[in-house]
Amino acid sequence: MALIVQKFGGTSVGSVERIEMVAEKVKKFRENGDDIVVVVSAMSGETNRLIALAKQISDQPVPRELDVMVSTGEQVTIALLAMALIKRGVPAVSYTGNQVRILTDSAHTKARILQIDDQKLRADLKAGRVVVVAGFQGVDEHGNITTLGRGGSDTTGVALAAALKADECQIYTDVDGVYTTDPRVVPKARRLEKITFEEMLEMASLGSKVLQIRSVEFAGKYNVPLRVLHSFQEGPGTLITIDEEESMEQPIISGIAFNRDEAKLTIRGVPDNPGVAFKILGPISAANIEVDMIVQNISHDNTTDFTFTVHRNDYLNAMQVLQNTAREIGAREVIGDTDIAKVSIVGVGMRSHAGVASRMFEALAKESINIQMISTSEIKVSVVIEEKYLELAVRALHTAFELDAPARQVE
Amino acid sequence: MALIVQKFGGTSVGSVERIEMVAEKVKKFRENGDDIVVVVSAMSGETNRLIALAKQISDQPVPRELDVMVSTGEQVTIALLAMALIKRGVPAVSYTGNQVRILTDSAHTKARILQIDDQKLRADLKAGRVVVVAGFQGVDEHGNITTLGRGGSDTTGVALAAALKADECQIYTDVDGVYTTDPRVVPKARRLEKITFEEMLEMASLGSKVLQIRSVEFAGKYNVPLRVLHSFQEGPGTLITIDEEESMEQPIISGIAFNRDEAKLTIRGVPDNPGVAFKILGPISAANIEVDMIVQNISHDNTTDFTFTVHRNDYLNAMQVLQNTAREIGAREVIGDTDIAKVSIVGVGMRSHAGVASRMFEALAKESINIQMISTSEIKVSVVIEEKYLELAVRALHTAFELDAPARQVE
């Protein structure tokens, strides 16, 4: 008998029919003898509907009041799911964030969980009840309703699992697990049985939008085994956990992430003085533009080139800022490119394997794909290439690192 | 400077535009220097939408969970109104029933208020804030969300006014006050400046659906001056209060109520033994049929006739029950009539004036209207007449008791 926290997102509870399906699923776990805490989001579309209503009053609704309003979305879902469970003879009780007491700080619309009171929940579980908790919301020390920001329901699930020392936190989504890469790009992409928290963080932040990054960090910190599963299909999903056994069989890399939302800017002929990086990036950051990759190479003739990537939406804005900077510091020119893509290989296995990067570059060279930028971390190598080669690059790397599914498993 | 509790119902907050209008109105009171607590209902239609959603899961949704769900309706309105006030530079804060702490019993969907914690509200008022409270809802001693049942927002308003010892509880509606009778039937009907709680109770229960009966009882019990006003028109409305000065000028009757929702049943030739009334009404009550007027006259030849009225929807059901009873107790026959109407004159003034009933019967006789049943209380005389004479009767009584508006005041 295990204690499992199950989180169902907005799409999984997007209609009464789907809520009934979730109730069926929960019922089966109960019949297996597991103790279940369910965390649910607002029905899909509901949060947006509420925000739109608030925006009719004010472009900048007061955050405290916005939280009072938006938190009603999950409150409706918990009641419906509890009703659906009770209808099936499964004793159940619903709680808002305030009722559980999920204590947060007072940063309305983006609050952080400080503490969870597990007393009520434990008493209910002991009494044989399924506990249905509203995700995404909490209450501050003054009794004000808070929300955790978009995607916060994942965080609620993980935090509850940590507080209850649950055996597993299951995140139900519209995919059946974490894949070696996007199956739409590489038909031979495989579902991973297991992935480490660190790898998942790199995969998630690079565009595999299965889980909210914050919840993965949280799960890693408290060592809560996370499992990603499909809401309405059977299957084991992907377990995200700490890297316990670094076995021989462990693949060198776990997956290939990619991102075509970025644009590249280069400032050339920058006088190579101390503090020049700050002079360049300071104004970009002041303009609220987030920078992803940054590359500066050794200098020639006391000048250097400095390149970085930003989100494509910020490209024009960043270009303007950078041109001003170029004039001020006496740089030669500013050039930019929006037709780029970033491809990354991710895996804890590369820590203990030399030559992973060169194997990557070799595979790309074989396909005559030019590498424009390189950046590496302990468990990741990222390159920027011309966008039109993206699919080709991902497929080549998928094969080169032996990630392709065996032919017989492809359905 | 007064402390005023203002309650706005679902229609008054039925759209963002209307919520903005309510905010304007509240702002004006603030500018007059009054302290304001506003109680709001769910936006019109919202409660029904939520209940319909619950009914998709279950015909008999679990009351606890139904309350969790339905209470979100007011929660959305309080946030929107607080936003609209803050946008206008009026400091405001919203509270759910749980946040105020409106403590109720645990009778979900029809809970009763036990106690109100006024600490937070007083602190906010002192700090110059308008407090916006969700009507219709509270929390039980275990932290479960409860609702007070339909129309409970009026009760919330009165209870808050009592707890805060407010100078007045203003109930904003779609009428500009309480009238001597229905202006659709009697164009000369007048708005009353003042009416007593007792009279209002008789008027309300007889069909003038301006206020929820429970809130009037509550206001009377705690002596909270209640004022009925139009949400979006200027005017003094009608003040409902205790009968302080029984002056000479006081009119004998305050208003004329009527009701055409009833049907009449008579069981004839009932052997006149002790306990016969119970034998007749016991089975009716057991069938969950509510009885309004009951008339039994003296007997002839040891048999008597027994007549009562029920809601028209219950007529066929009541008829069947009564026919069974007639066979059992050996009564002669059962007859019934659905084409009836009840007309009542209401007024505390009749306590000190003899002959009010006969003046009523005289007025009806002048119009050749036959009286089928009569029932009286201390401040009310009701008669049952043939339905087709209803309008004629109400107008005749309105004139006979000098309630008609002076011609020059009719607009």
Side-chain angles (χ1 to χ4, degrees), chain A residues 391-410:
Chain A
E391 287 83 359
L392 179 61
V394 174
R395 278 187 217 116
L397 292 169
H398 205 264
T399 303
F401 285 98
E402 295 161 9
L403 294 172
D404 292 353
R408 70 176 181 283
Q409 284 194 12
V410 178

Side-chain angles (χ1 to χ4, degrees), chain A residues 177-230:
Chain A
V178 181
Y179 273 68
T180 50
T181 193
D182 188 336
R184 284 169 303 186
V185 170
V186 182
K188 287 179 180 170
R190 266 188 311 109
R191 181 179 53 76
L192 293 159
E193 290 292 330
K194 238 177 158 180
I195 186 172
T196 69
F197 292 116
E198 284 169 291
E199 288 170 333
M200 189 63 208
L201 283 175
E202 296 287 6
M203 293 290 275
S205 62
L206 290 169
S208 306
K209 287 146 196 144
V210 176
L211 280 173
Q212 210 211 357
I213 294 183
R214 204 166 128 202
S215 67
V216 179
E217 285 172 359
F218 211 89
K221 188 170 165 193
Y222 292 96
N223 193 18
V224 174
L226 258 187
R227 190 180 290 276
V228 174
L229 300 132
H230 196 288

Side-chain angles (χ1 to χ4, degrees), chain B residues 254-290:
Chain B
S254 292
I256 298 166
F258 57 85
N259 182 343
R260 45 182 129 209
D261 294 335
E262 297 192 11
K264 184 181 74 168
L265 294 104
T266 302
I267 179 165
R268 300 179 77 168
V270 179
D272 194 6
N273 305 321
V276 74
F278 175 70
K279 275 187 194 145
I280 293 167
L281 290 181
I284 295 286
S285 154
N288 271 319
I289 298 167
E290 278 204 51

Side-chain angles (χ1 to χ4, degrees), chain B residues 260 331 380 411:
Chain B
R260 45 182 129 209
K380 183 189 73 176
E411 285 163 52

Side-chain angles (χ1 to χ4, degrees), chain A residues 170-324:
Chain A
Q170 301 179 338
I171 309 282
Y172 287 87
T173 65
D174 54 358
V175 295
D176 67 346
V178 181
Y179 273 68
T180 50
T181 193
D182 188 336
R184 284 169 303 186
V185 170
V186 182
K188 287 179 180 170
R190 266 188 311 109
R191 181 179 53 76
L192 293 159
E193 290 292 330
K194 238 177 158 180
I195 186 172
T196 69
F197 292 116
E198 284 169 291
E199 288 170 333
M200 189 63 208
L201 283 175
E202 296 287 6
M203 293 290 275
S205 62
L206 290 169
S208 306
K209 287 146 196 144
V210 176
L211 280 173
Q212 210 211 357
I213 294 183
R214 204 166 128 202
S215 67
V216 179
E217 285 172 359
F218 211 89
K221 188 170 165 193
Y222 292 96
N223 193 18
V224 174
L226 258 187
R227 190 180 290 276
V228 174
L229 300 132
H230 196 288
S231 300
F232 304 117
Q233 290 170 16
E234 295 298 316
T238 298
L239 181 66
I240 306 159
T241 181
I242 54 167
D243 184 25
E244 275 167 337
E245 69 283 347
E246 245 176 302
S247 70
M248 293 283 290
E249 290 84 359
Q250 191 164 37
I252 298 167
I253 80 157
S254 293
I256 297 166
F258 56 84
N259 182 343
R260 43 183 131 209
D261 293 336
E262 296 193 10
K264 184 180 73 169
L265 294 105
T266 301
I267 178 165
R268 301 179 76 168
V270 179
D272 193 6
N273 305 321
V276 74
F278 174 71
K279 274 187 195 145
I280 292 167
L281 290 181
I284 295 288
S285 153
N288 271 320
I289 298 168
E290 277 204 51
V291 170
D292 180 27
M293 289 171 80
I294 303 170
V295 173
Q296 184 190 354
N297 215 327
I298 53 163
S299 56
H300 297 277
D301 309 325
N302 290 323
T303 67
T304 189
D305 301 339
F306 192 98
T307 303
F308 58 91
T309 62
V310 297
H311 195 282
R312 271 188 207 176
N313 295 343
D314 292 326
Y315 175 70
L316 289 178
N317 200 356
M319 178 57 85
Q320 209 160 28
V321 173
L322 198 59
Q323 276 164 343
N324 289 340

Side-chain angles (χ1 to χ4, degrees), chain B residues 226-359:
Chain B
L226 258 186
R227 190 181 290 276
V228 174
L229 299 133
H230 196 288
S231 301
F232 304 117
Q233 289 171 16
E234 294 299 315
T238 297
L239 182 66
I240 306 158
T241 183
I242 54 167
D243 183 26
E244 276 167 336
E245 69 282 347
E246 243 177 302
S247 69
M248 293 284 289
E249 289 85 1
Q250 192 165 37
I252 298 168
I253 81 161
S254 292
I256 298 166
F258 57 85
N259 182 343
R260 45 182 129 209
D261 294 335
E262 297 192 11
K264 184 181 74 168
L265 294 104
T266 302
I267 179 165
R268 300 179 77 168
V270 179
D272 194 6
N273 305 321
V276 74
F278 175 70
K279 275 187 194 145
I280 293 167
L281 290 181
I284 295 286
S285 154
N288 271 319
I289 298 167
E290 278 204 51
V291 170
D292 180 28
M293 287 172 81
I294 303 171
V295 172
Q296 184 191 353
N297 214 328
I298 53 163
S299 57
H300 297 278
D301 308 325
N302 289 323
T303 67
T304 188
D305 300 341
F306 193 97
T307 302
F308 57 90
T309 63
V310 298
H311 194 282
R312 272 188 206 178
N313 295 343
D314 292 325
Y315 175 70
L316 288 179
N317 200 356
M319 177 58 83
Q320 209 160 28
V321 172
L322 198 59
Q323 275 164 343
N324 288 339
T325 305
R327 271 193 297 278
E328 277 169 30
I329 63 176
R332 196 165 64 240
E333 64 172 338
V334 173
I335 55 172
D337 188 355
T338 57
D339 296 333
I340 61 160
K342 184 167 74 166
V343 181
S344 309
I345 55 172
V346 175
V348 293
M350 70 175 72
R351 277 180 187 146
S352 48
H353 285 263
V356 173
S358 63
R359 188 160 155 192

